[in-house]
Amino acid sequence: FKYPSKNNKLFNDLNLEIKNGETIGIKGKSGEGKSTLINMICGFIIPNNGSVSVDGINISENIRGWRSILGYIPQSTYLFNGTIKENICFSRSGEVDENLFLKVLEMSQLNDLIENLPEGENTLVGERGILLSGGQAQRIALARCLYKNPKILILDEATSSLDDINEHKILQSIKLLKGKKTIIIVSHRDSTLSFCDKIYQLKNRNLYI
């Protein structure tokens, strides 16, 4: 893959195979292409040569179906000007699953935040989450993703804005999903990747395990 504005390829003959239920870590220096690789896996970017396939079928043949089973949490998340609960549950149609909602609050370490707010789960977050801290907004994004109950969970530096204590708690929750979902974690912190089955490093336009 090469960006049109660049002279050199970002990836050259890169190959990666992820098995169902694996937890994979991806690390690398800034500019090596970690987020580009994730965008390619999600189908946001199409490789110049080669393909991204699931069970031998190119994801472009059913991109909406592919994305419907993905849970993607980027480093910078988007929240709309609604309540905490609305931002978490908007991704599912119909009535709110209260049991699942309470479960993802616990997994995302949001219970303390909600209990300390006068309006609780009905607190407005402001446009783009302006009324919250970066870490609080990121935990809501994680809860939204888990509420969707995806088969594949992708975290792209998703815990980088959290303090060490909250990151540890959330990673312990994610660890409980290991083997039940396919998990891809992008991080520059070795501690964040400590429970991965495999860790790949992006370097010199390719992946190394």
Side-chain angles (χ1 to χ4, degrees):
F1 176 77
K2 182 178 81 70
Y3 283 106
S5 59
K6 302 293 184 180
N7 294 324
N8 299 320
K9 291 180 180 179
L10 184 59
F11 305 135
N12 187 33
D13 197 25
L14 184 151
N15 287 282
L16 172 65
E17 181 179 353
I18 301 173
K19 296 179 180 179
N20 184 39
E22 278 190 321
T23 297
I24 298 296
I26 298 175
K27 65 179 183 178
K29 294 181 180 178
S30 179
E32 291 283 356
K34 299 186 298 296
S35 291
T36 299
L37 177 59
I38 292 303
N39 285 332
M40 201 171 287
I41 291 173
C42 292
F44 301 135
I45 294 176
I46 301 173
N48 302 129
N49 292 294
S51 65
V52 178
S53 301
V54 180
D55 296 334
I57 301 173
N58 194 314
I59 61 172
S60 63
E61 294 186 22
N62 184 15
I63 192 65
R64 291 185 66 181
W66 170 237
R67 289 178 185 165
S68 71
I69 65 171
L70 296 179
Y72 172 51
I73 313 172
Q75 184 173 2
S76 299
T77 189
Y78 175 79
L79 300 181
F80 60 85
N81 189 17
T83 67
I84 291 174
K85 189 171 187 177
E86 288 169 342
N87 270 277
I88 292 172
C89 302
F90 88 101
S91 60
R92 296 181 77 145
S93 59
E95 296 182 0
V96 172
D97 184 331
E98 293 291 343
N99 289 331
L100 180 57
F101 174 65
L102 294 175
K103 182 178 179 180
V104 300
L105 288 183
E106 182 177 358
M107 292 185 69
S108 305
Q109 301 300 315
L110 281 168
N111 283 329
D112 286 349
L113 170 64
I114 287 176
E115 288 172 2
N116 290 322
L117 292 171
E119 300 297 323
E121 63 196 34
N122 296 312
T123 299
L124 292 172
V125 304
E127 191 67 35
R128 297 186 178 272
I130 194 171
L131 300 179
L132 303 173
S133 69
Q136 290 168 345
Q138 201 66 10
R139 280 182 279 165
I140 291 173
L142 175 62
R144 171 196 292 170
C145 181
L146 294 173
Y147 187 82
K148 182 183 175 184
N149 195 24
K151 292 183 179 180
I152 301 168
L153 184 61
I154 302 175
L155 296 89
D156 186 1
E157 297 283 9
T159 60
S160 61
S161 62
L162 303 179
D163 58 67
D164 291 342
I165 294 176
N166 277 309
E167 183 192 38
H168 176 73
K169 290 179 179 178
I170 285 176
L171 289 176
Q172 289 300 109
S173 297
I174 298 297
K175 190 175 181 179
L176 295 175
L177 301 175
K178 187 175 179 180
K180 301 175 184 177
K181 298 182 185 295
T182 303
I183 305 172
I184 304 171
I185 304 175
V186 177
S187 180
H188 63 279
R189 300 179 186 173
D190 289 337
S191 58
T192 306
L193 306 175
S194 60
F195 64 92
C196 292
D197 299 314
K198 297 176 184 176
I199 299 175
Y200 292 91
Q201 180 159 6
L202 265 174
K203 186 178 180 181
N204 298 328
R205 300 181 303 224
N206 219 316
L207 278 171
Y208 302 90
I209 193 166

